[in-house]
Amino acid sequence: MIHSLFLINASGDIFLEKHWKSVVSRSVCDYFFEAQERATEPENVPPVISTPHHYLISVLRHRIYFVAVIQSEVPPLFVIEFLHRVVDTFQDYFGVCTEAAIKDNVVVVYELLEEMLDNGFPLATESNILKELIKPPTILRTMVNTITGSTNVGEQLPTGQLSVVPWRRTGVKYTNNEAYFDVVEEIDAIIDKSGSTITAEIQGVIDACVKLTGMPDLTLSFMNPRLLDDVSFHPCVRFKRWEAERILSFIPPDGNFRLLSYHVSSQNLVAIPVYVKHNITFREGSSQGRFDLTLGPKQTMGKAVESVLVSSQLPRGVLNANLNPSQGTYTFDPVTKLLTWDVGKINPQKLPSLKGTMNLQAGASKPDENPTINIQFKIQQMAISGLKVNRLDMYGEKYKPFKGIKYMTKAGKFQVRT
Amino acid sequence: MSASSAFNDDKGGSSSVGEAEYAYDPVSGKIFSSDYNRHDDLKEMLDSNKDSLKLEAMKRIVAMIARGKNASDLFPAVVKNVACKNIEVKKLVYVYLVRYAEEQQDLALLSISTFQRGLKDPNQLIRASALRVLSSIRVTIIVPIMMLAIKEAASDMSPYVRKTAAHAIPKLYSLDPEQKDQLIEVIEKLLADKTTLVAGSVVMAFEEVCPERIDLIHKNYRKLCNLLIDVEEWGQVVIINMLTRYARTQFLNPNINESLLEEGSGGDKTFYGSDEDEDEDDDEKEKEKKAEAAAMAKRKPYVMDPDHRLLLRNTKPLLQSRNAAVVMAVAQLYFHLAPKAEVGVIAKALVRLLRSHSEVQFVVLQNVATMTIKRRGMFEPYLKSFYIRSTDPTQIKVLKLEVLTNLANETNISTILREFQTYIKSMDKDFVAATIQAIGRCATNIGEVRDTCLNGLVQLLSNRDELVVAESVVVIKKLLQMQPEKHSDIIKHMAKLTDNIQVPMARASILWLIGEYCEHVPKIAPDVLRKMAKSFTNEEDIVKLQIINLAAKLYLTNSKQTKLLTQYVLNLAKYDQNYDIRDRARFIRQLIVPTEKSGALSKYAKKLFLALKPAPVLESPFKDRDHFQLGSLSHLLNAKAGGYQELPDWPEAAPDPSVRNVEVPEWTKCSSREKRKEKKVEKPFYSDSEGESGPTESADSESDSATASDSRSGSEESGSGSESESEEDSESEEEEEEKKSKKKELKKPVQESESEQSSEEEDRKPEKKSKQQKSDSESESDEDEESESESSPSESEDSESEAEVKKKKKVAESKPPSKPVKKEKKEMSLLDLDDFEPAPSPQVTPVNTLLSNSLVTDLEGLSLSDSVLSPATIAPSSALKNYELLHRITGEGLTVEYCFSRQPFSPDANMVAVQLQFTNNSSSDTKSLHMEDVKLQSGMRVKEFPEIELLPAGETASAVMGIDFCDSTQAANFQLCTHTKKFFVSIQPPVGELMRTVFLTENEFKKEQGQLMGMNEITEKLTLDARCRNEHAIVQRVTAAANLSRVPCGSDKECSPPVRPPDHPVHRFAGRTVTSSSLVLVTVATREEGAAQLTVNCEKMVIGTMLVKDILLALTQ
C-alpha cells in the first residue's frame, strides 16, 4: 500500500520523509516537481502521477504537499483520504499544520506516522486511540517531561483499540458535563448575471463538542428530519435507528467531532440571503473600466448578515483600481489581480457599495471575460434550511449534562457571475 | 549548515520550547560544528546511562532520519539501546532499526533476541509491537524466525496481536516469496477469525499474497459480509474491493434479463450519441458471447443468489460513511454487481463527495465520468451539481465538463449550452479550450443543436484569444466534415482566417478543410495555396504537410490554375529539413504528376486523395474505461497498474453456491420452496452450537423491502415465509427475552444489532426446532453429550462444597436449602428465571432481621415456590466475604464491616445489596447512626440504610443499603454519622459483585455465547492451583469470586443413556450485570494436568476483563 511519504513545502523542499517499507529514494519526487512546473496553479498539480516504477498520490493542504509513494494497485481515494486524515491529526495535535509546526514536533510526527501505518496499511487513525498512544505536546507536559524524564508515549494498549466503540476512551471524567452541537449550514449557489439563481443547494454539518463523563448514550432528534436528503455519519451513529426513526442515536467520541453532514433535499427552494447589484464594464478603446457593486440582504428572516467578504478575480488587463467603499476596506493585489472587499455587517438601511474605476493597460483591448464575484457571509442563530433540533437526551449515565445547540448559516461556494 | 540551524528547534522534538531548550541541552552549542563531531556526541549520549540523554540523542537521530540525512553510522550505538527501559527511547530505537536494519544486517541481528523475548511478554501491546518491529526488519536471515513468530501470533488470544500478525504476512512475503505456501496457511487460519479487528488486515494480506486463491473466501464470505459494517473503515475498503471480485466469479449477472430485453427493443437509449452507437456494437459482441447464457436465463428466470443479495444489502449503509474511500468502494461494488434498477442509490452519495477536498473530487469525477457513459440516467437529476465555478482548479473543471457532456441529451442540452456559453468567457484558457471541444461533442451527439453549436463556434472565430479560435477551428473542422455541402460560407470564412491565426494545429485544420472541400470554394482555394506557398518555409511541419496536401488536391481538381504553384510547393518541400516532408513531397509528385515512369497508381490519384472520408467520431476519453474496476488506480490512469486484479466477467452458469455454507457441505442449492425448508430444518444444530452468523435465508428475509423489491421473488418469498412462521413459534421465548434485552439493545451500537439480530433469529429457530424433534432426532452434537454427563458428578460435589463452606464461613451460618431434587430441564428453559434468586431463605444471616417484613415474606415466597425448580447451582451466597468499612481505631470504637449479600435489593432491582454490620466496641452508646453526604460517580445511586437510633455499647447491629454501581467498580463514598462524629468511608465493589445470578440451560448458554463472540470474548489460559483441580473446588472458587450461577450440564438430555464422565469437564457459569442486565458468561474448560482455559463473554468489555482477572486469581491461588 503506501510505501513512503514525502512532505514538500511551497518552495519545493522535501522537509520530511518517512518510509514504511524499504527506502524509496527521494529522487522519485522529481517527477512530482516536473508536474508541479507544468501546472500553472499549485492546486492544478494532478493528484495522481504515474512514474516508471512508482505512483505518486499527493494532496495539498496548508501549502504543503503530502506526497505518498505507491508501488502497486491501491484505490487512489484510499490514499487521498488517509493523507487528509494525517493532516487532520497533525492539526489536532499541533493546532496548526504548518511546516514550522511539523519541524518543531518532528519526533511526535514521526511517532504518529509510525502508529498510523503499519507496512503501509492504516493501523490506528482514530484520534482518541492515537492520543492514548502518544500524548499531544503541551507546554506544561513538555516542562514536566523535561524535569521528570517521563515520556509522551503511552505504555498500555489503548482501550479503544479493542473496544466496540473504538472512537471513545474509557474512563472519561469531567467535572462539568457539557455537550454542544453546532448546526452549520452552507449555501452553495451560482447566481446569474441577471440575478436569477442557476443552482443553489444547502449543505450542512453538525459539529459536536461533547465532554461527558463515562459512557453516555445520546439521542438527538429533529423537528423536521425530512429536510435531510443525504447524510453521512460519524461511525458512532447507529444507522438502523436513523433508517427506522430518523433519530440520531450514538455513543459520542470524547471531544470535538463531526457528527453528521447532510444535504438538504433539492426540492426545497433555497432562500438566498443576499443580493448583489453589479455593474462592471470595460469600454472599447478606453483604458478605464467602471466598477460598481452594491450588496443587500434578502430573505434573512430578520437576522443580520455578518462578516461579509467579497472577492473577485479581475481580468489580467486591469492594472489598478480606484474604488470607494461606503463601508469596510478593500484591497487590490496588482500581481494576482485579486480584489477583496471586507464589508463587515450589512446594514439594511444603508446598503454597502463599492464604486470607482479600474485602470487598464494602455492600448490593450477590452477584456472579453467578466469577473465572477465570490461572496462570503455568516448569519448567526439561523439554519437557512429551517432545520431544528427537537431534543437531546442522554441515557446510560445519571448526571444531568449541560446541553447547547447553536445554529449558523454561512456562504459556501457562493458565486455571482457578471 | 543553514538548513540544519533552521532545524535547531526540532532537535528536541516534542520537548522543544523554542529557545528555552538550549539551556537544557548540554551540547547544542557545538553540535553542528561538523558531522563527525555531532555523531560522536550522539554516541556519547547514547552510551550514557541517563535515559534523558539517550532520549535526547534518539530524538535528534530521528529528526535526522526525517530529513533524509544518513544516520547509519550510529547503528552500533543505537542498537545497544534496544532493550532500554524507557519506552519512548525504545520506540525511537525501533524506528531507527526498521529504517537501517536492511543496510546493516549483521548488526541488526543483535537486536533479534530482544524481540523474541518481547513476543512472550504478557502485555499484548509489547507482544504486538515486538512482532511489528521484528517483521519490519528486512533481513533475510531471520525469515524462519519471522515465520515462527507470525504463526504463533496468529493464534494469540489477543485480537490485536492477531491483527499485527496479519500485517506481518505481506511483509514476510515481500521479503521472501518462497514462504507463500506457509503464509497462505496462516491467512486461511486468520480468515476464519471472527473479530472485526482482524478481518480488514487479513483480507489485506490475502490481497497481497494470494489474491488468486478465491476459494479461501468461500467459507468466510457470509461472515465477512456480516462483520463488514463493524470493521474499521480502511479494512472496509479492502474487503469491499475483494468481495466485488469474488462476487463476479460466483454469482450470475443480475442484468442478464435486461440486456436481453434491450436487445429486443433497443432500450431507452438515445440514438444520437456516437458513443451509443459504438456501445451497441460492443454490446452486440458481448451479447453474442452471452447469447447462450441469456437464452438459458430466459428459460429459467433469473433469481439472485441470496448471498449476492446479502452483499448488496450489507454494503449499502456504508454509502453513508464519512470516509470517501469507503463510499467509493461501495459505489463501484454497486456499479459492477447490482441490478440496474438499484445502481441509482450510489449517485447521491457520489455527488456528496464532490463537496470534499479537491483531490477527492478529482478521483470521484473520473469515476463519475466513466459511469455516466454507461448509466447516464443515474446522474441526470444531479446535473446542476456538476456546474462549474470559477474557483475550481482547472483539472476539476475539465472533468466536470466531461460529465456535463456525457449527461447532455435533447431535453437538457439548451441549459447545458447556456452554461457552456458562460464558461467560454472564463479567464482560464485551457478550460475554454476544453469547453469548445465539449460543445463540439454535444453537437455531434445531438443533431438538433448541431447548427446552433456551429454558429456559436463560428462566432468564436472572431475571438481575440488565439487559443480559443484555434480550438474552435479544429472543432468546426470536425463538425463540417459531417455535412460540408451546407456550409461553404463557413469554409470561406475560415479561409480568411489563415491570415491571422498562427496556431499550427488550427492552420493545418483550415488547410485540410479547404483542400477537402475545394470544390465548394473553387475561387478561394487556389488563392489560399498561393499565400501558403509564399510562407511555406516559415510554417511548422504539420502545416507544411497540409500545404502539400492542399496543393495535391488542387492539382487534381483544378490543375489549370494551380499546376505551377504545386510544382513550386513540391520543390520547396523537396529541400526541407524534415525528412517526413521530403518523403511526402517525393511521394506525391510521383503520384499526381503523370510521367512515363509513373505506375498504374497515378490513375487512381484522385480517388486516393478525394475519397469520401468518414466523419470523425468525437468520443469521450472515458469510454470503455469501465473494464477496469472503478475506483482503482488502474482506472484512474487508464493503464494497468502493478498488482491490479482484473475484474472477471460474470460466469455463464453460477458455480456451486454451497461452497459458502459453513457447516453443511453437502447442501446443494435448490430454488424450490420445500427443499429450502428441509434444509433449514437440518441446519440448526450446527449453527446453534457454533454461533455462526450468516446463513443467508434469514438475512434475506429481513423486511428490507426497499432493496429487495425487485427481480427476486421466489427466493425471497420462501425466506420471509419461513421466518414469520418461526417467529410465531418462538414468540413465547422471545417475548421474555426481549423484555430483558430491550434495554441492552438500545445501548448496542446499531451496526452490531443488525448483524446480531439476524444471527439471533437464525439461532433461535434451530433451537426451537431441535426441541420439537427431540424425540426422533438424537443426532445432537457430541459436545452436548459430553457436557451432559457432567451433571451427575457436579451434583454430588455440590453438597460437599456446602459443608466445607459452612465450616469456613461463620457469617453464612445457615445454608440455603436449595438441594435440587430433580432438574426439570425442558420446562426450565422456557421459563424466565432471570429474577430467580437461587438460595436465600430469610434467616440466612442475622442481617436479614433488619429487612422489612414484607421483604422477608417476599423472599420466602420466592424461595418456596422456586426451590422445587431450583437447579444444581451452588448457592453463591456461601462465599460471602467481609470487608472493613470502618476500623475500630479510626471509628473511635465503632467498627463497621460490610459484605455483599448477593440478594436482590428489593426497593430497586438495579442496586447491589450491601450488608453493613455495626459493632460498638466503645464504652458508650452510639446514637442515630446514619449516612450523609453521599459522593457518587455520575450515574450511581444509593439507597441509604434506615437510621439506627441506638447502638448500645458492646452490641452489634446490621443494616442493608443498596448501591447502584452502574456496572462500574467505582467506589461509593459517603459519610457515616453518629450523633457526635462523622467518618468518611467508601465502598468499592469487586467486579464479581456487580452481577446477579441468572439461570440458563446449556443450550441457552451456548446460544448467548455465540452472540457474544469477538470483542466481547476474552480467553485466558491458566494452570489451576493444585488444590483446585476438582470440579467442586473450581465451582466454589468461581462462585466465590463472582456472583454467578452454575449452568447445569447437558440438562436437556435426561433420557439419553448415561455416558462415561468426560475426562476434561467444562464448567459454565452465567450471570447478568445488575444495572444494565448484560449477560456475563464464564466458561472454565479444564485440560490435562491442571491446565485450563477461562473464557468470559460479556458485552461490557471492561467488566469482562476485570472479571477474567479476578477469576484467574481465584483459580490459580
Short mmCIF file of all heavy atoms in Angstrom, two decimals, chain B residues 770-813:
data_model
loop_
_atom_site.label_atom_id
_atom_site.label_comp_id
_atom_site.label_asym_id
_atom_site.label_seq_id
_atom_site.Cartn_x
_atom_site.Cartn_y
_atom_site.Cartn_z
N SER B 770 -35.04 -27.97 17.29
CA SER B 770 -34.38 -29.13 17.86
C SER B 770 -35.20 -29.67 19.02
O SER B 770 -35.22 -30.87 19.26
CB SER B 770 -32.98 -28.75 18.34
OG SER B 770 -33.07 -27.94 19.48
N LYS B 771 -35.88 -28.79 19.69
CA LYS B 771 -36.71 -29.26 20.78
C LYS B 771 -37.87 -30.08 20.27
O LYS B 771 -38.21 -31.12 20.79
CB LYS B 771 -37.23 -28.06 21.57
CG LYS B 771 -36.44 -27.82 22.82
CD LYS B 771 -37.00 -26.63 23.51
CE LYS B 771 -35.88 -25.66 23.79
NZ LYS B 771 -36.35 -24.30 23.75
N GLN B 772 -38.46 -29.54 19.25
CA GLN B 772 -39.61 -30.24 18.70
C GLN B 772 -39.23 -31.64 18.27
O GLN B 772 -39.98 -32.59 18.43
CB GLN B 772 -40.16 -29.48 17.50
CG GLN B 772 -40.82 -28.19 17.91
CD GLN B 772 -41.08 -27.33 16.70
OE1 GLN B 772 -40.54 -27.59 15.63
NE2 GLN B 772 -41.90 -26.31 16.87
N GLN B 773 -38.09 -31.72 17.74
CA GLN B 773 -37.73 -33.00 17.16
C GLN B 773 -36.92 -33.85 18.10
O GLN B 773 -36.31 -34.82 17.70
CB GLN B 773 -36.89 -32.76 15.92
CG GLN B 773 -37.59 -31.87 14.95
CD GLN B 773 -36.75 -31.76 13.73
OE1 GLN B 773 -35.59 -32.08 13.76
NE2 GLN B 773 -37.36 -31.32 12.65
N LYS B 774 -36.90 -33.44 19.30
CA LYS B 774 -36.03 -34.12 20.24
C LYS B 774 -36.18 -35.63 20.15
O LYS B 774 -35.23 -36.38 20.06
CB LYS B 774 -36.37 -33.64 21.65
CG LYS B 774 -35.60 -34.32 22.71
CD LYS B 774 -34.33 -33.61 23.13
CE LYS B 774 -34.07 -32.27 22.58
NZ LYS B 774 -34.43 -31.24 23.54
N SER B 775 -37.43 -36.06 20.18
CA SER B 775 -37.66 -37.49 20.28
C SER B 775 -37.10 -38.26 19.08
O SER B 775 -36.45 -39.28 19.25
CB SER B 775 -39.15 -37.75 20.41
OG SER B 775 -39.82 -37.04 19.39
N ASP B 776 -37.32 -37.72 17.92
CA ASP B 776 -36.88 -38.53 16.79
C ASP B 776 -35.43 -38.28 16.38
O ASP B 776 -34.78 -39.16 15.84
CB ASP B 776 -37.82 -38.36 15.60
CG ASP B 776 -38.15 -36.92 15.36
OD1 ASP B 776 -37.28 -36.07 15.69
OD2 ASP B 776 -39.24 -36.62 14.90
N SER B 777 -34.99 -37.10 16.60
CA SER B 777 -33.60 -36.86 16.17
C SER B 777 -32.66 -36.88 17.35
O SER B 777 -32.63 -35.99 18.17
CB SER B 777 -33.50 -35.52 15.45
OG SER B 777 -33.47 -34.50 16.38
N GLU B 778 -31.91 -37.91 17.45
CA GLU B 778 -30.94 -37.99 18.54
C GLU B 778 -29.57 -37.54 18.08
O GLU B 778 -28.59 -37.74 18.76
CB GLU B 778 -30.86 -39.44 19.04
CG GLU B 778 -32.01 -39.86 19.88
CD GLU B 778 -32.10 -39.06 21.18
OE1 GLU B 778 -31.07 -38.55 21.64
OE2 GLU B 778 -33.19 -38.96 21.72
N SER B 779 -29.59 -36.96 16.92
CA SER B 779 -28.28 -36.65 16.34
C SER B 779 -27.72 -35.33 16.85
O SER B 779 -27.33 -34.47 16.10
CB SER B 779 -28.41 -36.57 14.83
OG SER B 779 -29.34 -35.56 14.51
N GLU B 780 -27.71 -35.18 18.12
CA GLU B 780 -27.13 -33.95 18.65
C GLU B 780 -25.61 -34.00 18.60
O GLU B 780 -25.01 -35.07 18.50
CB GLU B 780 -27.59 -33.74 20.08
CG GLU B 780 -29.07 -33.67 20.20
CD GLU B 780 -29.52 -32.40 20.90
OE1 GLU B 780 -28.69 -31.50 21.08
OE2 GLU B 780 -30.66 -32.33 21.25
N SER B 781 -25.07 -32.84 18.71
CA SER B 781 -23.62 -32.81 18.58
C SER B 781 -22.95 -33.50 19.76
O SER B 781 -23.50 -33.60 20.84
CB SER B 781 -23.14 -31.36 18.49
OG SER B 781 -23.42 -30.75 19.72
N ASP B 782 -21.75 -33.93 19.52
CA ASP B 782 -21.02 -34.65 20.56
C ASP B 782 -20.85 -33.79 21.79
O ASP B 782 -20.89 -34.27 22.90
CB ASP B 782 -19.64 -35.04 20.03
CG ASP B 782 -19.78 -36.07 18.94
OD1 ASP B 782 -20.81 -36.78 18.96
OD2 ASP B 782 -18.90 -36.15 18.08
N GLU B 783 -20.64 -32.60 21.53
CA GLU B 783 -20.38 -31.68 22.63
C GLU B 783 -21.49 -31.76 23.66
O GLU B 783 -21.26 -31.80 24.85
CB GLU B 783 -20.29 -30.27 22.07
CG GLU B 783 -19.32 -29.40 22.79
CD GLU B 783 -19.35 -28.04 22.17
OE1 GLU B 783 -19.57 -27.96 20.95
OE2 GLU B 783 -19.18 -27.07 22.89
N ASP B 784 -22.68 -31.77 23.15
CA ASP B 784 -23.82 -31.82 24.05
C ASP B 784 -23.75 -33.04 24.95
O ASP B 784 -23.98 -32.97 26.15
CB ASP B 784 -25.11 -31.85 23.25
CG ASP B 784 -25.50 -30.47 22.82
OD1 ASP B 784 -24.67 -29.55 23.00
OD2 ASP B 784 -26.60 -30.30 22.34
N GLU B 785 -23.50 -34.14 24.33
CA GLU B 785 -23.50 -35.37 25.09
C GLU B 785 -22.44 -35.32 26.18
O GLU B 785 -22.65 -35.69 27.32
CB GLU B 785 -23.23 -36.55 24.17
CG GLU B 785 -24.46 -36.92 23.40
CD GLU B 785 -24.15 -37.95 22.35
OE1 GLU B 785 -23.45 -38.92 22.67
OE2 GLU B 785 -24.60 -37.76 21.21
N GLU B 786 -21.33 -34.85 25.77
CA GLU B 786 -20.23 -34.79 26.69
C GLU B 786 -20.59 -33.98 27.91
O GLU B 786 -20.43 -34.38 29.03
CB GLU B 786 -19.05 -34.12 25.99
CG GLU B 786 -17.75 -34.78 26.27
CD GLU B 786 -16.70 -34.11 25.43
OE1 GLU B 786 -16.45 -32.92 25.66
OE2 GLU B 786 -16.18 -34.75 24.53
N SER B 787 -21.13 -32.83 27.63
CA SER B 787 -21.38 -31.93 28.73
C SER B 787 -22.50 -32.43 29.61
O SER B 787 -22.55 -32.14 30.79
CB SER B 787 -21.69 -30.54 28.20
OG SER B 787 -22.63 -30.65 27.18
N GLU B 788 -23.38 -33.17 29.02
CA GLU B 788 -24.48 -33.66 29.82
C GLU B 788 -23.97 -34.57 30.92
O GLU B 788 -24.42 -34.54 32.05
CB GLU B 788 -25.46 -34.42 28.93
CG GLU B 788 -26.82 -34.51 29.57
CD GLU B 788 -27.29 -35.91 29.63
OE1 GLU B 788 -26.59 -36.81 29.14
OE2 GLU B 788 -28.36 -36.12 30.19
N SER B 789 -23.05 -35.35 30.55
CA SER B 789 -22.57 -36.33 31.50
C SER B 789 -21.95 -35.70 32.73
O SER B 789 -21.79 -36.35 33.75
CB SER B 789 -21.56 -37.24 30.83
OG SER B 789 -20.52 -36.42 30.34
N GLU B 790 -21.61 -34.48 32.61
CA GLU B 790 -21.02 -33.83 33.77
C GLU B 790 -22.00 -33.68 34.91
O GLU B 790 -21.62 -33.60 36.06
CB GLU B 790 -20.57 -32.42 33.40
CG GLU B 790 -19.31 -32.38 32.63
CD GLU B 790 -19.06 -30.99 32.14
OE1 GLU B 790 -19.32 -30.06 32.91
OE2 GLU B 790 -18.63 -30.85 31.00
N SER B 791 -23.22 -33.61 34.56
CA SER B 791 -24.19 -33.18 35.56
C SER B 791 -24.18 -34.03 36.82
O SER B 791 -24.30 -33.53 37.91
CB SER B 791 -25.58 -33.16 34.95
OG SER B 791 -25.88 -34.46 34.51
N SER B 792 -24.01 -35.31 36.67
CA SER B 792 -24.11 -36.12 37.87
C SER B 792 -22.98 -35.87 38.86
O SER B 792 -23.25 -35.62 40.03
CB SER B 792 -24.23 -37.60 37.50
OG SER B 792 -23.26 -37.92 36.54
N PRO B 793 -21.77 -35.89 38.41
CA PRO B 793 -20.73 -35.59 39.40
C PRO B 793 -20.92 -34.22 40.03
O PRO B 793 -20.70 -34.07 41.23
CB PRO B 793 -19.43 -35.67 38.59
CG PRO B 793 -19.81 -35.75 37.18
CD PRO B 793 -21.20 -36.23 37.12
N SER B 794 -21.32 -33.32 39.28
CA SER B 794 -21.41 -31.97 39.83
C SER B 794 -22.41 -31.92 40.96
O SER B 794 -22.23 -31.22 41.94
CB SER B 794 -21.80 -30.99 38.73
OG SER B 794 -23.16 -31.07 38.49
N GLU B 795 -23.45 -32.70 40.84
CA GLU B 795 -24.44 -32.68 41.89
C GLU B 795 -23.87 -33.19 43.20
O GLU B 795 -24.03 -32.60 44.25
CB GLU B 795 -25.62 -33.57 41.49
CG GLU B 795 -26.73 -32.79 40.86
CD GLU B 795 -27.77 -33.72 40.33
OE1 GLU B 795 -28.53 -34.25 41.17
OE2 GLU B 795 -27.82 -33.93 39.11
N SER B 796 -23.21 -34.30 43.08
CA SER B 796 -22.72 -34.89 44.31
C SER B 796 -21.71 -33.97 44.99
O SER B 796 -21.62 -33.91 46.20
CB SER B 796 -22.07 -36.24 44.02
OG SER B 796 -20.98 -36.03 43.16
N GLU B 797 -21.01 -33.28 44.21
CA GLU B 797 -20.00 -32.42 44.79
C GLU B 797 -20.59 -31.17 45.41
O GLU B 797 -19.99 -30.57 46.28
CB GLU B 797 -18.97 -32.03 43.73
CG GLU B 797 -17.85 -33.02 43.71
CD GLU B 797 -17.11 -32.96 42.40
OE1 GLU B 797 -17.39 -32.05 41.61
OE2 GLU B 797 -16.27 -33.81 42.19
N ASP B 798 -21.73 -30.84 44.94
CA ASP B 798 -22.35 -29.64 45.49
C ASP B 798 -22.48 -29.73 47.00
O ASP B 798 -22.21 -28.79 47.73
CB ASP B 798 -23.74 -29.46 44.90
CG ASP B 798 -23.64 -28.98 43.48
OD1 ASP B 798 -22.52 -28.62 43.05
OD2 ASP B 798 -24.65 -28.98 42.80
N SER B 799 -22.91 -30.86 47.41
CA SER B 799 -23.14 -30.98 48.85
C SER B 799 -21.84 -30.86 49.62
O SER B 799 -21.78 -30.23 50.66
CB SER B 799 -23.82 -32.33 49.15
OG SER B 799 -23.01 -33.35 48.60
N GLU B 800 -20.83 -31.43 49.09
CA GLU B 800 -19.53 -31.31 49.72
C GLU B 800 -19.16 -29.85 49.94
O GLU B 800 -18.79 -29.44 51.02
CB GLU B 800 -18.45 -31.91 48.82
CG GLU B 800 -18.14 -33.35 49.12
CD GLU B 800 -17.14 -33.81 48.09
OE1 GLU B 800 -16.14 -33.09 47.91
OE2 GLU B 800 -17.39 -34.84 47.48
N SER B 801 -19.27 -29.17 48.86
CA SER B 801 -18.82 -27.78 48.91
C SER B 801 -19.56 -27.03 49.99
O SER B 801 -18.99 -26.24 50.72
CB SER B 801 -19.02 -27.11 47.56
OG SER B 801 -20.34 -26.67 47.46
N GLU B 802 -20.79 -27.33 50.08
CA GLU B 802 -21.57 -26.60 51.07
C GLU B 802 -21.09 -26.88 52.47
O GLU B 802 -20.96 -25.99 53.31
CB GLU B 802 -23.05 -26.95 50.94
CG GLU B 802 -23.69 -26.12 49.87
CD GLU B 802 -24.91 -26.76 49.31
OE1 GLU B 802 -25.51 -27.60 50.00
OE2 GLU B 802 -25.25 -26.43 48.16
N ALA B 803 -20.83 -28.12 52.68
CA ALA B 803 -20.37 -28.49 54.02
C ALA B 803 -19.09 -27.75 54.35
O ALA B 803 -18.91 -27.20 55.44
CB ALA B 803 -20.13 -29.99 54.09
N GLU B 804 -18.24 -27.72 53.39
CA GLU B 804 -16.96 -27.08 53.60
C GLU B 804 -17.14 -25.60 53.90
O GLU B 804 -16.55 -25.06 54.82
CB GLU B 804 -16.14 -27.25 52.33
CG GLU B 804 -14.68 -27.43 52.61
CD GLU B 804 -13.99 -27.76 51.32
OE1 GLU B 804 -13.72 -26.83 50.55
OE2 GLU B 804 -13.77 -28.95 51.07
N VAL B 805 -17.96 -25.03 53.09
CA VAL B 805 -18.17 -23.61 53.24
C VAL B 805 -18.71 -23.29 54.61
O VAL B 805 -18.33 -22.32 55.26
CB VAL B 805 -19.12 -23.10 52.15
CG1 VAL B 805 -19.55 -21.68 52.44
CG2 VAL B 805 -18.44 -23.20 50.82
N LYS B 806 -19.58 -24.12 55.07
CA LYS B 806 -20.17 -23.88 56.38
C LYS B 806 -19.10 -23.78 57.44
O LYS B 806 -19.10 -22.93 58.29
CB LYS B 806 -21.12 -25.04 56.73
CG LYS B 806 -22.57 -24.65 56.61
CD LYS B 806 -23.43 -25.79 57.12
CE LYS B 806 -24.53 -26.05 56.14
NZ LYS B 806 -25.20 -27.35 56.39
N LYS B 807 -18.19 -24.70 57.34
CA LYS B 807 -17.13 -24.70 58.34
C LYS B 807 -16.34 -23.40 58.29
O LYS B 807 -16.02 -22.81 59.28
CB LYS B 807 -16.20 -25.88 58.09
CG LYS B 807 -16.62 -27.13 58.87
CD LYS B 807 -15.65 -28.25 58.62
CE LYS B 807 -16.12 -29.15 57.50
NZ LYS B 807 -15.08 -29.99 56.94
N LYS B 808 -16.05 -23.08 57.09
CA LYS B 808 -15.14 -21.94 56.93
C LYS B 808 -15.80 -20.62 57.30
O LYS B 808 -15.23 -19.78 57.95
CB LYS B 808 -14.64 -21.86 55.48
CG LYS B 808 -13.44 -22.75 55.27
CD LYS B 808 -12.65 -22.30 54.06
CE LYS B 808 -13.42 -22.63 52.81
NZ LYS B 808 -12.65 -22.44 51.59
N LYS B 809 -16.96 -20.45 56.83
CA LYS B 809 -17.57 -19.13 56.92
C LYS B 809 -18.54 -19.05 58.07
O LYS B 809 -19.49 -19.82 58.16
CB LYS B 809 -18.30 -18.81 55.61
CG LYS B 809 -17.34 -18.59 54.47
CD LYS B 809 -16.99 -17.14 54.40
CE LYS B 809 -15.79 -16.98 53.47
NZ LYS B 809 -15.25 -15.65 53.53
N LYS B 810 -18.27 -18.12 58.91
CA LYS B 810 -19.19 -18.01 60.02
C LYS B 810 -20.37 -17.11 59.69
O LYS B 810 -21.43 -17.22 60.27
CB LYS B 810 -18.45 -17.46 61.24
CG LYS B 810 -17.66 -18.56 61.92
CD LYS B 810 -17.02 -18.07 63.19
CE LYS B 810 -16.18 -19.20 63.79
NZ LYS B 810 -15.24 -18.70 64.81
N VAL B 811 -20.12 -16.20 58.83
CA VAL B 811 -21.19 -15.26 58.50
C VAL B 811 -22.36 -15.98 57.89
O VAL B 811 -23.51 -15.78 58.28
CB VAL B 811 -20.69 -14.20 57.51
CG1 VAL B 811 -21.65 -13.03 57.49
CG2 VAL B 811 -19.29 -13.78 57.86
N ALA B 812 -22.02 -16.79 56.94
CA ALA B 812 -23.09 -17.54 56.30
C ALA B 812 -23.38 -18.76 57.15
O ALA B 812 -22.88 -19.85 56.91
CB ALA B 812 -22.66 -17.95 54.90
N GLU B 813 -24.11 -18.56 58.17
CA GLU B 813 -24.27 -19.63 59.14
C GLU B 813 -25.15 -20.74 58.60
O GLU B 813 -24.83 -21.90 58.72
CB GLU B 813 -24.87 -19.06 60.42
CG GLU B 813 -23.78 -18.47 61.32
CD GLU B 813 -24.38 -17.75 62.47
OE1 GLU B 813 -25.18 -16.81 62.23
OE2 GLU B 813 -24.07 -18.10 63.61
#
